Amino acid sequence: MARNRDALKQLGKAFLTGYVLLAEGEKDPRNLLVAFAIARVILIEFDISEHVESLFDIIFCYFPITFRPPPNDPYGITTEDLRMALRGCLSASPAFGPLAIPVFLEKLTAGSPITKRDTLETMSTCFPVYGPALARVSARKLWNSLKLEIFQPTDPLTEEEALKTTKALVETIYTQEEDAIESDDDVQGLARDVCEECVHILREPEKNQAKPAIKVLCAFMATTPSVSRYTISQAVPHFVKLFLNPEEISNRPPILLLLADLVNAARDSMPSEVIDATPIPMMPYKDEVMGVVSVGLKTTTLRIPAIALLRGLITTKKLLSNEELSFIVHSVNEVFQDEKAENDDFSDSAILEILKTISETVPHHLEEQTLPMLFSALPDQAPPRDAIQERMKLWRILLALKTLCVHPQLFEILVIRLTTKVDLVCLPASKRDAIDVEPDAAYAHSLLKTIADTLTIKVEAAHSDVAKYIERLVPSLYNLFFFSALQPEQAIAADHRLVRSAADIITLVTQCIPAQRQTSFVGAILKVLSSGKVQGFADGIQKFPADARFSVFENTNSTFQKNLLALLAAGIVPAHKEVLPPPPSLDVFLNNLLSWSILNADHYLQRESAWHLVSSILNKHANTASAFLEDKLVNFWPTFIANSEVPINQRRSALQAWVWISKALTVQKHTALVCFSDKIFELFGDDTISWDAAKTLGDIANADQVLTKRNHAVIKILHAQKFVNSILARIIVGAQDSTKPPHEQMAYLVALTSLIKAIPKTTYAHQMTSLMPLLLRGLELPDFEIRADVIDTLLAAAEGDASDQSLVSEHAPTLVTYMLKNSLAGDMPSIRVRTTALQYLAVLPKVVRYDVLHPSKATVLRELAKVLDDPKRSVRKEAVDTRTVW
């Protein structure tokens, strides 16, 4: 067929007759794929006028495909391969049409759901080939069968396919007539009949049949322009009239929802690129629909459906004028600030989605109407501690601002207004009585967090305007916090929570500026760290005394001045590699930073900022930091970590610093990592710090927000897998070694649970046989967080492949005992452990055979009955679900 097609054509009837005899009765799927390919060529290129029925018989006898490949089939032939090849034959020739339609209807009536979907997909493919004449003649019979699958569907997938087939049928009938149809009266036949039938059903919008009816009309909207116009001309006036009918007031919510579905379908039927000449289906009816929306927004029970309808209108390109969008913003604003209405989170999010959609195209409407309303609701001072309602209103306003002010034009206003509020709250003109500053600190923190959250959205969306805030926002933040550190007793901004939020903002902005601008910015920060002079760096509203110095690392400084390291580190951590001077230029600085974090820092924020700074710089210049790394192994480790005479808190801090150095090496697969991780194992024999050391192995493998691509860190793929592979076998052997002291074995067990919590399941899946007994021992550890992590790991294993599930079956009785013990409030104080234990018990019957679990059934049901009295509602709910499964 591929090489001598012309010769085969010359054979004529003899070849076709012989081929029918040859292909008849073939069952081997490998041969069928070839036969279907040959048959498609014959049907398209050969004269088959005298052999239609015989070809039909040898092809349609395979429809629908019921073949299921055997396990581990070496040929890789799937059901879908055969199905698509056969479908190519069925749709190859219009001559099959009269013979195929009765077969399709028969299969659609009597088949299983899978057969029905295959039939529907095949019909959709065949209709355009069989032609409009046959489709028009068979339309009523086809619709009667399709209607059954839409209005009384066996499942949602079959219903969806029936709608697609209906759409294909209508397109086949009316596409060629499109130019001849000039008015709605010219639309005759199936489209008119079905539309009238569906509109008649929609006279009762509250009934169950209304939903399938609107789905049919929505499918019609995506067919031909004439059918789309006719559909909308029948449906929209009907809905508007029904909505305005006083006798149908109780049915207004479903009417609005059905109309919203139709408007969305009209919007989706338009081309992706809309020009002025593009016809807009809803244009003739938008005034009536806008009137319906206005009524709905003013009625509490209709607001959610009205907003759903409004969403469809505003997302339809070129439908609404500028004045209409302004009116919508005004109306939605009134709904949002209506204090009498009981707006919940769902209605608020729906309202904000409307406003956000408008802000993406015409932000000036929100700038002129919405933002003044929201900002005026923000007070200059925080409400008192007992003013719960006022605080809830503040959170609602700030959530709205975060959602709406993503557009560059609106974000600029947000920054100006919220930073002004922060200044007013943090540095009041009148000296306050420092009796209760917590409300003001919480309010200022919420304001800064709103800016940070909005910035995060903008950074993830790659907005180009973020970079300009290195001049417009960052200096004013430094000004506020540095000034507050001079007089912390009077300044709210000295609070460490506010410092952390401000540091997040600085990091986000610095991430987005080019390396050239980062060079001057980072250079200025390093100058402040070395000299303590902030004049020219932190300029803003507040003026510093001429002799003001900020020596962050001096022991005599207050905690509030030491907290400033977080703000300075936030500007260095995201710097490009070429911006930072490499070690040994920074060796002295990094060593001083490490020593300060252990000996002089008095808050975790300070220590964490120092470690982030060390880790970021080291990661970007690890290849030139061999002297620094050698010094840590030779001097830092024995002085601060291995030395048992050092206070335990300092040893723990030094160990965390070691973790961040190791993380910097891990993500870039540095060869020195082996030496650093080996040192940690040396501590497993030290009973005072062995658990802390064991947990650090998981911390090293765990992902963080510092060493990321966005912060321009040097990261190599599969770094976590390489680290795990280098230590996992050693940990397993150590945990199994009975010759080791109990506390050392326990440290290996803690290391194991900490490590597997931090890595993907694929990294340790091949070791599950060895891991399972150790994980079971982990369920007896006194650390509740470790127990919860172990159960999470077991859950992942239970939901894995067949080999993992068979391992679960092997240990099922033991697992049941441990989970029951960890689910009782009397034995387990941790809510997280109780919840995860119950979740695991619920999974077991789904992955373990009944005969294995049956001996435990009575015990499980008896113990779960006790859990039903748990003091926590979430635990009781899990207990009910688990007991139902058992």
Side-chain angles (χ1 to χ4, degrees):
M1 187 61 75
R3 299 174 185 173
N4 302 290
R5 193 170 304 178
D6 293 336
L8 294 177
K9 288 180 181 179
Q10 290 176 5
L11 291 176
K13 297 179 181 178
F15 167 68
L16 293 176
T17 304
Y19 177 77
V20 168
L21 294 173
L22 174 70
E24 188 174 15
E26 181 58 59
K27 293 182 180 181
D28 191 310
R30 295 169 294 174
N31 293 341
L32 283 176
L33 284 178
V34 179
F36 291 155
I38 294 173
R40 178 170 172 79
V41 174
I42 292 173
L43 292 168
I44 293 174
E45 298 189 19
F46 286 60
D47 179 9
I48 62 166
S49 55
E50 297 183 13
H51 297 80
V52 172
E53 288 194 21
S54 57
L55 287 169
F56 177 85
D57 290 339
I58 66 166
I59 292 173
F60 264 79
C61 65
Y62 296 106
F63 180 80
I65 294 291
T66 56
F67 167 76
R68 293 290 178 273
N72 304 316
D73 180 19
Y75 305 108
I77 298 174
T78 66
T79 306
E80 192 63 20
D81 293 336
L82 291 170
R83 190 173 288 159
M84 297 307 295
L86 176 58
R87 194 171 296 164
C89 293
L90 304 185
S91 61
S93 172
F96 277 174
L99 300 172
I101 295 297
V103 175
F104 289 151
L105 293 176
E106 177 190 350
K107 301 297 182 184
L108 201 58
T109 304
S112 65
I114 294 176
T115 299
K116 288 185 177 184
R117 286 195 291 275
D118 186 13
T119 304
L120 291 167
E121 291 173 9
T122 305
M123 289 166 70
S124 299
T125 305
C126 292
F127 284 157
V129 178
Y130 294 168
L134 179 64
R136 199 175 293 111
V137 171
S138 310
R140 177 47 64 179
K141 288 189 291 185
L142 288 167
W143 167 243
N144 287 337
S145 293
L146 292 171
K147 179 170 62 174
L148 194 64
E149 302 303 328
I150 296 170
F151 285 85
Q152 299 176 26
T154 53
D155 59 78
L157 292 176
T158 306
E159 179 191 23
E160 183 180 352
E161 286 302 328
L163 288 166
K164 290 179 182 177
T165 306
T166 304
K167 173 176 169 288
L169 176 62
V170 172
E171 285 178 328
T172 302
I173 295 173
Y174 291 94
T175 298
Q176 292 185 0
E177 300 178 355
E178 188 60 35
D179 294 337
I181 299 177
E182 298 179 355
S183 67
D184 292 343
D185 293 335
D186 295 335
V187 177
Q188 300 294 331
L190 180 67
R192 177 181 284 271
D193 295 343
V194 173
C195 272
E196 290 176 353
E197 186 177 344
C198 290
V199 169
H200 180 77
I201 293 171
L202 291 170
R203 290 178 183 176
E204 298 177 313
E206 76 282 4
K207 296 294 180 65
N208 291 336
Q209 295 294 295
K211 197 66 179 175
I214 199 66
K215 288 181 179 179
V216 173
L217 296 183
C218 290
F220 277 22
M221 292 303 302
T223 55
T224 67
S226 58
V227 172
S228 175
R229 286 194 304 272
Y230 178 76
T231 301
I232 210 164
S233 71
Q234 299 299 305
V236 173
H238 167 75
F239 282 129
V240 173
K241 182 180 177 182
L242 205 62
F243 182 86
L244 299 176
N245 186 348
E247 297 179 1
E248 297 287 343
I249 288 179
S250 62
N251 292 329
R252 282 182 170 180
I255 292 171
L256 288 173
L257 291 173
L258 294 170
L259 184 54
D261 289 342
L262 189 65
V263 171
N264 291 335
R267 174 201 63 202
D268 296 339
S269 69
M270 295 170 59
S272 56
E273 295 295 329
V274 178
I275 59 176
D276 292 338
T278 303
I280 301 173
M282 282 299 301
M283 186 63 78
Y285 311 99
K286 72 170 181 177
D287 292 338
E288 292 93 328
V289 176
M290 283 293 292
V292 167
V293 168
S294 298
V295 174
L297 289 175
K298 294 174 182 176
T299 309
T300 304
T301 56
L302 301 180
R303 278 180 180 164
I304 296 298
I307 290 172
L309 174 55
L310 190 56
R311 190 184 304 119
L313 294 174
I314 64 172
T315 52
T316 302
K317 296 178 181 177
K318 295 188 179 296
L319 175 62
L320 300 174
S321 66
N322 200 38
E323 292 76 16
E324 288 166 335
L325 287 172
S326 177
F327 171 73
I328 289 173
V329 171
H330 173 74
S331 301
V332 172
N333 286 345
E334 288 183 339
V335 174
F336 187 80
Q337 64 180 349
D338 185 2
E339 295 184 357
K340 296 180 181 178
E342 296 181 0
N343 288 345
D344 55 16
D345 292 342
F346 182 76
S347 60
D348 271 1
S349 62
I351 292 168
L352 295 176
E353 186 180 347
I354 294 290
L355 294 172
K356 182 181 178 183
T357 303
I358 295 174
S359 75
E360 292 169 355
T361 52
V362 280
H364 67 273
H365 290 312
L366 273 74
E367 180 182 350
E368 295 166 1
Q369 299 184 58
T370 308
L371 294 193
M373 172 193 78
L374 295 175
F375 286 126
S376 64
L378 291 177
D380 293 340
Q381 301 296 330
R385 185 183 286 265
D386 57 352
I388 298 175
Q389 292 298 322
E390 287 80 354
R391 257 198 311 281
M392 291 178 65
K393 290 178 183 177
L394 287 183
W395 294 335
R396 182 169 176 252
I397 297 296
L398 292 175
L399 174 62
L401 288 170
K402 181 185 80 171
T403 306
L404 300 178
C405 294
V406 177
H407 189 279
Q409 184 177 331
L410 304 180
F411 181 70
E412 187 169 0
I413 299 170
L414 175 79
V415 169
I416 294 171
R417 297 297 295 269
L418 291 195
T419 51
T420 303
K421 294 286 185 187
V422 171
D423 287 338
L424 291 171
V425 175
C426 293
L427 296 170
S430 59
K431 304 298 181 187
R432 68 179 75 220
D433 295 329
I435 299 174
D436 188 9
V437 297
E438 179 63 24
D440 285 330
Y443 182 32
H445 177 262
S446 297
L447 295 171
L448 289 171
K449 196 76 172 64
T450 301
I451 298 176
D453 290 344
T454 313
L455 257 178
T456 301
I457 297 171
K458 291 176 67 64
V459 170
E460 290 174 351
H463 284 196
S464 59
D465 65 305
V466 174
K468 72 181 182 182
Y469 292 97
I470 196 69
E471 281 89 17
R472 300 192 182 188
L473 173 59
V474 171
S476 62
L477 289 176
Y478 279 123
N479 177 265
L480 170 64
F481 284 92
F482 273 82
F483 186 81
S484 299
L486 290 176
Q487 42 184 359
E489 68 283 350
Q490 298 175 357
I492 302 300
D495 188 286
H496 67 90
R497 293 165 296 183
L498 274 68
V499 174
R500 191 183 293 276
S501 293
D504 291 340
I505 295 172
I506 294 169
T507 297
L508 288 165
V509 175
T510 312
Q511 287 172 350
C512 300
I513 61 177
Q516 185 178 358
R517 180 66 183 90
Q518 278 189 354
T519 302
S520 58
F521 181 60
V522 172
I525 293 176
L526 293 175
K527 186 177 179 181
V528 171
L529 283 169
S530 61
S531 68
K533 296 179 181 180
V534 296
Q535 289 80 0
F537 172 74
D539 292 339
I541 298 175
Q542 311 302 329
K543 304 303 177 187
F544 296 98
D547 59 345
R549 294 288 185 276
F550 294 88
S551 299
V552 175
F553 303 123
E554 285 188 6
N555 297 339
T556 57
N557 280 345
S558 66
T559 296
F560 306 105
Q561 290 200 30
K562 292 179 182 179
N563 283 345
L564 296 177
L565 178 64
L567 298 177
L568 298 171
I572 299 177
V573 166
H576 288 79
K577 178 180 179 179
E578 59 271 20
V579 170
L580 296 169
S585 312
L586 288 176
D587 274 5
V588 175
F589 172 69
L590 295 179
N591 284 323
N592 291 340
L593 201 55
L594 283 174
S595 299
W596 177 84
S597 69
I598 298 165
L599 302 175
N600 305 117
D602 49 23
H603 192 278
Y604 187 74
L605 174 66
Q606 301 160 19
R607 289 189 286 271
E608 186 181 56
S609 303
W611 300 332
H612 290 176
L613 199 50
V614 170
S615 186
S616 179
I617 295 173
L618 180 60
N619 168 263
K620 292 161 187 172
H621 293 291
N623 294 331
T624 57
S626 54
F628 175 81
L629 296 173
E630 182 67 23
D631 176 71
K632 297 292 127 342
L633 291 168
V634 174
N635 297 317
F636 183 84
W637 176 268
T639 304
F640 290 107
I641 301 177
N643 188 354
S644 58
E645 296 179 1
V646 174
I648 188 64
N649 288 336
Q650 289 185 7
R651 295 182 73 188
R652 286 172 177 157
S653 295
L655 192 57
Q656 283 302 309
W658 195 263
V659 167
W660 280 100
I661 293 173
S662 301
K663 287 172 79 73
L665 302 175
T666 301
V667 297
Q668 61 163 278
K669 298 182 179 178
H670 197 280
T671 54
L673 175 63
V674 177
C675 300
F676 278 77
S677 59
D678 284 348
K679 287 288 185 183
I680 295 175
F681 285 100
E682 295 176 9
L683 294 178
F684 284 13
D686 187 341
D687 198 16
T688 57
I689 201 171
S690 58
W691 274 45
D692 299 278
K695 290 179 180 179
T696 61
L697 292 172
D699 295 338
I700 293 172
N702 210 358
D704 59 80
Q705 298 301 312
V706 177
L707 300 171
T708 63
K709 285 293 185 183
R710 193 171 285 169
N711 281 337
H712 308 106
V714 179
I715 301 176
K716 296 183 179 179
I717 62 171
L718 302 178
H719 59 267
Q721 286 83 341
K722 181 178 180 181
F723 174 67
V724 171
N725 291 337
S726 68
I727 63 172
L728 184 57
R730 180 176 180 178
I731 292 174
I732 293 175
V733 171
Q736 293 172 339
D737 189 353
S738 58
T739 62
K740 293 184 182 295
H743 71 270
E744 191 171 343
Q745 277 194 64
M746 197 69 73
Y748 277 100
L749 193 58
V750 171
L752 176 67
T753 58
S754 175
L755 186 66
I756 61 176
K757 174 198 71 172
I759 56 177
K761 178 176 177 287
T762 52
T763 311
Y764 59 83
H766 62 287
Q767 295 271 23
M768 275 307 296
T769 305
S770 305
L771 290 175
M772 183 61 85
L774 300 177
L775 292 173
L776 292 174
R777 285 169 54 192
L779 292 173
E780 295 180 317
L781 292 174
D783 189 312
F784 299 148
E785 286 303 309
I786 290 179
R787 287 199 197 186
D789 293 337
V790 169
I791 298 175
D792 285 338
T793 304
L794 292 171
L795 271 170
E799 294 165 358
D801 55 26
S803 61
D804 288 342
Q805 292 180 2
S806 119
L807 191 61
V808 172
S809 297
E810 183 181 339
H811 296 275
T814 309
L815 285 165
V816 168
T817 303
Y818 277 122
M819 295 306 159
L820 286 175
K821 182 179 178 181
N822 282 287
S823 63
L824 296 172
D827 299 328
M828 173 49 59
S830 170
I831 298 172
R832 183 188 168 202
V833 174
R834 299 204 302 272
T835 303
T836 52
L838 289 168
Q839 290 171 348
Y840 191 81
L841 278 172
V843 168
L844 280 177
K846 301 173 185 177
V847 297
V848 179
R849 295 196 323 271
Y850 177 82
D851 60 295
V852 176
L853 288 181
H854 179 72
S856 307
K857 180 177 178 180
T859 304
V860 171
L861 293 177
R862 183 174 64 251
E863 294 300 309
L864 287 178
K866 301 176 184 176
V867 187
L868 295 177
D869 296 326
D870 194 279
K872 290 296 180 180
R873 183 176 180 274
S874 60
V875 179
R876 295 197 300 271
K877 181 180 180 302
E878 289 292 345
V880 170
D881 295 341
T882 304
R883 200 165 188 268
T884 303
V885 171
W886 277 81

